[in-house]
Amino acid sequence: MDPYGTLKLGSREMGQFISEINAEFSRTEEHGVQEILQGVLRLARECQDRDEMELRLDGD
């Protein structure tokens, strides 16, 4: 990810992104972090199912 720019992911990229978020989820035991990752996963799965959607991740 670009820490200063915007990363746009479409439905084609969601498989890998979901896999990476799932891996991060399994590594953390912090409840707050898990809740955030669950929200990101929900959005990523919705984006994966709808071609017209994209997920945008903004850097700092």
Side-chain angles (χ1 to χ4, degrees), residues 7-60:
L7 176 63
K8 297 178 186 178
L9 301 172
S11 60
R12 293 183 191 140
E13 293 91 13
M14 283 302 118
Q16 179 180 347
F17 182 71
I18 289 169
S19 173
E20 292 172 5
I21 296 299
N22 278 326
E24 193 62 37
F25 185 87
S26 68
R27 278 182 271 214
T28 187
E29 295 180 7
E30 293 181 48
H31 182 70
V33 173
Q34 288 178 339
E35 284 183 346
I36 291 168
L37 293 175
Q38 284 175 336
V40 172
L41 281 170
R42 182 185 53 76
L43 291 171
R45 288 185 182 115
E46 185 176 347
C47 183
Q48 185 178 37
D49 293 339
R50 299 173 62 186
D51 289 336
E52 69 276 5
M53 288 184 71
E54 66 183 13
L55 187 63
R56 294 180 187 192
L57 306 169
D58 290 327
D60 199 15

